[in-house]
Amino acid sequence: MAEASVLNDLLQIIGDRGRALVDWRRPRRPSGRALGELADLLLSVPGEASGVARARELLDGYRALDYAGRTSFFRLLVETYSADRSDLGGAAARFLEDPSEVNAKAILRSAEPRRLELFRRLNFAPGGTADLVAMRLDLLERLPNHPEFWTLDDDLKTLFQSWFNRGFLLLRRIDWQTSAAVLEKIIKYEAVHAIHDWDDLRRRIDLPDRRLYAFFHPRLGDDPLIFVEVALTGDIPSAIQPILDRDRTPIEPGAATTAVFYSISNCQKGLQGISFGNFLIKQVVEDLQREFRDLKTFVTLSPVPGFAGWLERERSAEVSSVLPAETRPVLDRLDEDGWWQDAAARDELSRVLPQVAAWYLTRARDRRGRLADPVARFHLGNGARLERVNFAGDLSPKALRTAHGMMVNYLYRLPDIEKNHEAFVNDRKVAASSAVTKLARGLPAPKALVPSDA
C-alpha cells in the first residue's frame, strides 16, 4: 500500500510538472485589462520609436483577444479613458471667469477623451490604420447590445472623417494590368452584382466600353475603400442584364453618349458612415468628360434594396395608408412562384408596381424621418435626380427577393448637383423627374411627412 501511495505521488508530480511545461510553452491570451496597462504605458511614452513598438504590441494583443476580451477592452476604454471631469469642470469655471481664447481652448483640451490620443498613437504603428478600421467593425457589431459604446464609436468616426478626407484619397482606374492582389479584392468586395470568375471580371474592366475606378488610401495600401463600375452606352438602360450579358457586342467608346454607374461597392465595413461615394462619382464624371467629349448623360442603374420589405409590411397591414384597395389583388400576384415568367402577371404588375415604387422612393420614411431606401438617400444626398423607375430591371434571385425586380436610374447633371443636394439636406425635397412625380401622385401622400402641396 505504501509503495502504491509513493507511486501515485510520483505520477501526480510528473503530471503537474508536465502541465506546467505545456502552460509555459503555450502563449498566454491577453486580457482587456492587460491591454489597459499597455495603453497607459503607450500614453506615457515620450519617445516616438518606443511608442511605435508599444502601439504595435497593443494592437497585436487586441487581435489575440476573443469576443469577450474585445468587449471587455471596449468597456475599459469607455469607463477609464474618457475626459477627466474635474479638469473639465475647472476649465469651464476659468472660462466663465475669463472668457478668453486661451481658456476656451483649455475647455476643448479638457473635454477630449484620453482614448482619442490613444487612437492617434496606435495609428503610428505599421498597419495601425487598417487595425483601427477593423477594430471599429468589431465595435459596430457590438453596438446593438452595448449602446453605451456609442461614445467610443463617435470618437473613432471623428478621427476617420479626418484621416480619410478627400485630400488623402487616390483615384485609380482598375484594368487588366492592375495587380492580381487588387483584382482579387475587387471580386471579393463586389456587393451589388456578384463577379463570378476571372472571365466575368475581365468583361467588366478590359473591354473598351467598360471602366472601373476605385479610391485608395495611402495607409491601406492596395486595399480599396470604394469602387464604381461604369458602362458606356448609347442610351439610358432600364435593365441590368444587357449590361452584364457575356455575349453582348461592345461599342466604340467614342460613340457612347451615356455613362452608366451600375455598381458601387463600399469595401471597408469599419468605415461605415464615412462618405466616399459622392466624391468618387463626381471625380469619375469629370475624368470621363475629359476623356470622351461626346458623353452628355451620367446616370446610375441602381437597386432598390428596401422596397420588398417595405411593401410586405404595407400589404400585411389591415388598412394601409398607402395602397389603394384596388391594388391589393394585383400585388397579391407577387406571391405566385415565378410571377415574372407569367405574361399576364407581368402585365398587371407592370401597371401597378412602378407606381408603388415611385411612392416608396420619394415619400416613404423611416423612424428617423429619413427616406426609407438607403440607395435613394445616397444618390439624392449626392445631388442626383430620381429620373426613372424600371419594372423588371433585375430578375436575379437577390433582386427579386429584395426589390421585386425593380431598378432605378438616378441622373447626375453637374449644373444641378449642388442645388439638388442643398434642397434634399436642408428642406428634405426629393429631386425627381416629371415622370416619376406623376407616378408617385397616383398614391396618397402621408399627411405627417409630406407637405400638403407636395
Side-chain angles (χ1 to χ4, degrees):
M1 294 292 294
E3 292 179 357
S5 177
V6 171
L7 179 60
N8 288 336
D9 288 344
L10 286 172
L11 291 174
Q12 182 67 39
I13 292 171
I14 292 172
D16 290 344
R17 289 182 177 179
R19 282 189 293 273
L21 179 61
V22 170
D23 289 341
W24 176 77
R25 289 180 175 177
R26 183 187 298 127
R28 295 186 181 276
R29 184 181 297 277
S31 67
R33 190 64 57 178
L35 290 191
E37 297 174 4
L38 275 177
D40 287 337
L41 285 173
L42 178 58
L43 288 172
S44 64
V45 168
E48 182 175 335
S50 56
V52 168
R54 291 287 187 192
R56 187 65 265 165
E57 184 181 0
L58 194 155
L59 289 170
D60 289 342
Y62 172 82
R63 191 180 295 177
L65 293 173
D66 58 15
Y67 188 94
R70 295 183 183 188
T71 303
S72 176
F73 179 61
F74 291 146
R75 185 174 294 110
L76 180 72
L77 291 178
V78 171
E79 295 174 352
T80 308
Y81 293 85
S82 297
D84 188 309
R85 296 189 179 183
S86 61
D87 286 350
L88 179 57
R94 288 190 294 274
F95 177 78
L96 290 175
E97 293 176 4
D98 176 18
S100 65
E101 188 72 15
V102 171
N103 286 337
K105 288 183 178 297
I107 289 180
L108 290 176
R109 287 193 299 270
S110 299
E112 180 177 284
R114 293 174 62 218
R115 55 182 172 262
L116 276 176
E117 181 59 25
L118 176 64
F119 293 144
R120 294 189 190 103
R121 297 195 181 198
L122 291 174
N123 192 47
F124 288 145
T129 304
D131 283 341
L132 287 171
V133 171
M135 185 184 293
R136 183 169 181 250
L137 178 56
D138 291 339
L139 181 63
L140 290 172
E141 292 172 350
R142 287 161 174 78
L143 279 181
N145 295 322
H146 295 278
E148 70 274 15
F149 291 170
W150 78 267
T151 55
L152 182 55
D153 178 59
D154 188 63
D155 291 338
L156 280 172
K157 185 176 179 181
T158 298
L159 289 175
F160 289 165
Q161 285 172 334
S162 174
W163 296 348
F164 290 89
N165 73 61
R166 176 63 184 91
F168 295 123
L169 305 186
L170 307 174
L171 180 69
R172 290 165 54 185
R173 180 183 168 189
I174 307 300
D175 57 28
W176 201 240
Q177 306 308 314
T178 302
S179 72
V182 174
L183 296 182
E184 287 177 345
K185 288 182 171 66
I186 296 298
I187 294 175
K188 172 186 175 182
Y189 289 137
E190 165 60 59
V192 184
H193 304 293
I195 300 174
H196 302 290
D197 51 37
W198 286 94
D199 288 337
D200 192 9
L201 175 64
R202 188 162 194 168
R203 284 189 293 272
R204 302 195 194 192
I205 66 175
D206 198 40
L207 295 178
D209 59 351
R210 294 293 183 265
R211 297 286 189 276
L212 191 151
Y213 298 89
F215 265 150
F216 292 83
H217 189 279
R219 293 299 300 270
L220 295 187
D222 285 338
D223 211 358
L225 303 177
I226 186 173
F227 62 85
V228 59
E229 297 169 63
V230 185
L232 303 179
T233 67
D235 53 17
I236 298 178
S238 59
I240 192 63
Q241 186 54 41
I243 289 178
L244 300 180
D245 187 359
R246 64 175 59 240
D247 298 321
R248 71 176 187 83
T249 301
I251 68 171
E252 287 298 322
T257 60
T258 303
V260 184
F261 306 105
Y262 66 90
S263 180
I264 301 175
S265 297
N266 284 293
C267 308
Q268 308 297 330
K269 293 183 179 179
L271 293 175
Q272 178 181 314
I274 313 299
S275 179
F276 309 116
N278 53 347
F279 298 121
L280 178 63
I281 290 176
K282 292 170 187 175
Q283 184 67 59
V284 171
V285 167
E286 293 174 3
D287 286 7
L288 288 172
Q289 280 188 320
R290 283 194 295 267
E291 186 177 0
F292 304 109
R293 297 295 182 182
D294 290 333
L295 283 179
K296 306 298 182 186
T297 305
F298 298 89
V299 298
T300 75
L301 184 58
S302 300
V304 196
F307 178 54
W310 170 85
L311 182 55
E312 178 62 26
R313 290 189 293 274
E314 288 295 327
R315 291 175 60 205
S316 299
E318 290 187 14
V319 179
S320 171
S321 61
V322 176
L323 304 177
E326 61 269 20
T327 66
R328 296 296 189 106
V330 178
L331 292 173
D332 286 344
R333 304 213 64 169
L334 291 170
D335 299 329
E336 300 174 7
D337 291 336
W339 63 261
W340 59 93
Q341 298 170 324
D342 183 285
R346 281 183 65 135
D347 181 61
E348 289 183 58
L349 286 166
S350 69
R351 294 194 294 270
V352 174
L353 211 56
Q355 186 180 47
V356 178
W359 194 100
Y360 164 75
L361 289 163
T362 57
R363 295 179 178 177
R365 303 276 172 171
D366 64 14
R367 292 180 179 178
R368 296 168 59 183
R370 307 174 303 173
L371 277 183
D373 192 78
V375 176
R377 290 200 304 268
F378 172 77
H379 288 295
L380 295 169
N382 287 347
R385 183 176 80 184
L386 179 53
E387 187 68 9
R388 193 168 69 187
V389 177
N390 301 301
F391 176 77
D394 185 355
L395 297 179
S396 67
K398 178 181 177 181
L400 286 167
R401 184 176 65 255
T402 60
H404 298 308
M406 299 298 297
M407 295 198 81
V408 179
N409 299 119
Y410 295 96
L411 176 69
Y412 280 85
R413 187 172 179 273
L414 290 183
D416 296 336
I417 283 178
E418 290 304 322
K419 177 186 67 176
N420 292 343
H421 166 77
E422 293 295 331
F424 182 78
V425 171
N426 297 330
D427 303 319
R428 301 203 308 178
K429 289 185 178 179
V430 173
S433 67
S434 58
V436 173
T437 301
K438 183 178 179 180
L439 277 173
R441 282 178 176 164
L443 296 177
K447 297 177 180 179
L449 295 178
V450 177
S452 59
D453 59 348

